[in-house]
Amino acid sequence: MAERVIPLIDQRSRLLAVPRGAQLLPKSGQLVDTLGRPLRDLRISVTDRCNFRCSYCMPKEVFDKDYQYLPHASLLTFEEITRLARLFVSQGVHKLRLTGGEPLLRKGIESLIEQLAALRTPDGEPLDITLTTNGALLTRKARALKAAGLKRVTVSLDGLDDAVFRRMNDVDFPVAEVLAGIEAAHAAGLGPLKVNMVVKRGTNEQQILPMARHFRGTGITLRFIEYMDVGATNGWRMDEVMPSAEVIDLLQSEFPLVPLEPASPGETAERWGYAGADGRYDPALGEIGAISSVTRAFCGSCNRARLSTEGSVYLCLFASQGYDLRTLLRGGASDDEIQSAITAIWQGRTDRYSELRASLPSQPGQASARRVEMSYIGG
Ligand code: SAM
Ligand code: SF4
Ligand code: SF4
């Protein structure tokens, strides 16, 4: 077995100055990048901290008691986040996803949600606001999140077996509490609910069928995510990736599935519906999603930007550098100046890492060692 190399590098300081002087778009114009992709989706990381230590994301050996998290003063305030979100919305963003780290650890997150929920698109439409969480704090927070204006949540859950789950979160957290959190979110009306399962070969693939049995027919969409080579600390190896095609074959051995159309442009998940006795999709049984981030790149329709906890914009999950908007914000820039920076950043975007993965260097010490962590820019 190949040895794991876990480089210990702080990658948060490599920031790019924002480009200046781009023209503001006319109100009707659509902002597109160099590959013609519009900007529609903004993921906002509200904290770099987490109460779990999933080995594929924040391995204990790196994120230990000596790890230096960002000081509070570095974090964007809720007012700063809302201002930037508003300016991104004016440039075409329709969907906001709060993430992290564990977003429910950010104190007063409900008040941020309230502020974001008041934003409107240039056409006066409310935004699609959602949040990705490990579910540990959902039982306590679901109702307040809903009351603050959150529409729905996605809960990450990598297995139903308690021992497997405790091992994967690596802080001995019981699966029953996450399942209770999912129930609480459902009861609070935070739907349609999605559950994300990262499949790591040799670790939790035996949980695929039990998870499908558990969520089939509940109205909750289970989505299987290929284990990705994000960041530089998870010791990623291709032989631990279980391709979605294999996951679908395994599911088909027990449940007949039929392919469904994408729900929206830029949708990352391939959708499959459970078939009823007549062999056709039965909406009462629901659907599953397969996110083939490694084996089937979807860069061609990638319309997502990421705002890091300290206010830098990253144009790709696998980026090694971000654009520092916080300096602009705190330096007293006007809305027009920040909007024109966002325009220039997006217009210069060339990123399509997953399409190029096979031809790029992948050993730590080369490209992967410079990538930022997912807990910092948000998944
Ligand atoms: N803490 C929250 C959670 O776990 O839902 C939000 C942040 S987490 C970084 C966002 C999503 O990224 C989770 O669904 C997680 O499973 C996924 N993720 C993290 N590392 C990953 C990896 N190496 N490959 C695939 N998905 C990963
Ligand atoms: Fe925390 Fe989410 Fe990363 Fe797991 S995937 S360590 S819950 S941020
Ligand atoms: Fe988007 Fe980058 Fe993922 Fe491609 S690799 S889909 S550009 S985030």
Side-chain angles (χ1 to χ4, degrees):
M1 193 186 274
E3 207 175 296
R4 277 164 201 264
V5 184
I6 299 185
L8 289 165
I9 313 167
D10 190 336
Q11 303 159 47
R12 296 175 300 206
S13 54
R14 286 198 204 90
L15 291 180
L16 296 166
V18 290
R20 301 278 189 142
Q23 296 293 310
L24 284 180
L25 288 181
K27 274 207 163 49
S28 56
Q30 192 179 45
L31 177 58
V32 291
D33 69 7
T34 60
L35 302 172
R37 299 170 295 187
L39 169 62
R40 303 290 287 181
D41 182 334
L42 180 67
R43 303 195 171 192
I44 303 172
S45 174
V46 294
T47 176
D48 59 339
R49 291 165 195 257
C50 188
N51 45 355
F52 283 11
R53 286 293 175 275
C54 310
S55 62
Y56 53 69
C57 178
M58 295 179 75
K60 248 183 185 160
E61 309 86 77
V62 177
F63 295 88
D64 59 10
K65 63 178 181 12
D66 297 324
Y67 185 81
Q68 297 285 310
Y69 292 96
L70 295 169
H72 194 74
S74 294
L75 271 53
L76 291 188
T77 64
F78 291 165
E79 288 67 31
E80 288 172 329
I81 292 176
T82 306
R83 181 172 176 214
L84 284 183
R86 173 170 58 77
L87 298 174
F88 271 93
V89 167
S90 73
Q91 299 302 95
V93 163
H94 278 57
K95 179 171 164 188
L96 302 176
R97 177 177 293 279
L98 300 181
T99 176
E102 174 46 45
L104 298 187
L105 289 183
R106 179 84 187 252
K107 226 169 142 190
I109 183 92
E110 300 83 355
S111 127
L112 172 63
I113 291 167
E114 260 171 38
Q115 293 177 45
L116 295 175
L119 298 177
R120 293 289 175 272
T121 67
D123 299 333
E125 297 294 321
L127 301 171
D128 179 11
I129 305 179
T130 176
L131 176 147
T132 305
T133 173
N134 61 27
L137 296 170
L138 258 185
T139 338
R140 256 180 276 166
K141 293 205 164 232
R143 284 172 58 177
L145 293 170
K146 176 72 184 177
L150 189 68
K151 297 261 169 44
R152 53 199 177 87
V153 289
T154 298
V155 182
S156 305
L157 177 64
D158 297 332
L160 283 180
D161 180 87
D162 195 48
V164 171
F165 184 66
R166 284 177 192 253
R167 215 167 32 246
M168 287 192 78
N169 63 56
D170 216 8
V171 292
D172 211 27
F173 196 85
V175 74
E177 287 194 36
V178 177
L179 292 173
I182 293 173
E183 279 293 308
H186 198 55
L190 286 169
L193 262 162
K194 290 178 186 161
V195 168
N196 279 354
M197 171 178 177
V198 175
V199 181
K200 205 171 162 190
R201 202 196 286 283
T203 304
N204 66 337
E205 76 263 41
Q206 76 287 13
Q207 292 297 302
I208 294 170
L209 285 171
M211 287 280 283
R213 287 179 205 125
H214 185 83
F215 289 109
R216 183 170 174 259
T218 60
I220 297 173
T221 300
L222 175 61
R223 308 192 312 167
F224 299 94
I225 307 182
E226 288 177 352
Y227 167 44
M228 287 184 283
D229 46 338
V230 280
T233 57
N234 64 10
W236 182 86
R237 295 202 322 253
M238 186 64 203
D239 61 4
E240 290 178 323
V241 177
M242 179 155 171
S244 295
E246 268 186 56
V247 174
I248 298 296
D249 282 351
L250 178 65
L251 291 167
Q252 296 262 33
S253 68
E254 188 166 326
F255 309 108
L257 295 169
V258 289
L260 302 176
E261 290 296 314
S264 59
E267 166 93 287
T268 50
E270 204 179 276
R271 298 169 64 214
W272 294 81
Y274 287 109
D278 61 359
R280 289 207 296 236
Y281 170 49
D282 179 353
L285 295 175
E287 60 181 88
I288 57 124
I291 304 184
S292 314
S293 347
V294 177
T295 60
R296 189 181 291 177
F298 37 78
C299 304
S301 57
C302 180
N303 52 20
R304 293 178 291 285
R306 292 179 158 81
L307 183 62
S308 79
T309 319
E310 52 183 347
S312 302
V313 179
Y314 287 80
L315 299 177
C316 176
L317 190 49
F318 299 91
S320 51
Q321 290 183 302
Y323 294 89
D324 176 15
L325 287 185
R326 193 186 61 189
T327 299
L328 265 191
L329 267 180
R330 296 191 178 170
S334 67
D335 282 359
D336 277 2
E337 283 170 313
I338 298 175
Q339 261 176 308
S340 96
I342 294 170
T343 305
I345 291 167
W346 192 261
Q347 283 176 333
R349 180 180 188 240
T350 55
D351 304 66
R352 53 187 189 103
Y353 173 81
S354 286
E355 285 182 357
L356 304 173
R357 178 184 278 108
S359 58
L360 291 173
S362 61
Q363 293 307 305
Q366 301 177 49
S368 68
R370 292 194 296 275
R371 279 181 221 138
V372 286
E373 296 301 323
M374 200 161 176
S375 50
Y376 171 67
I377 53 169

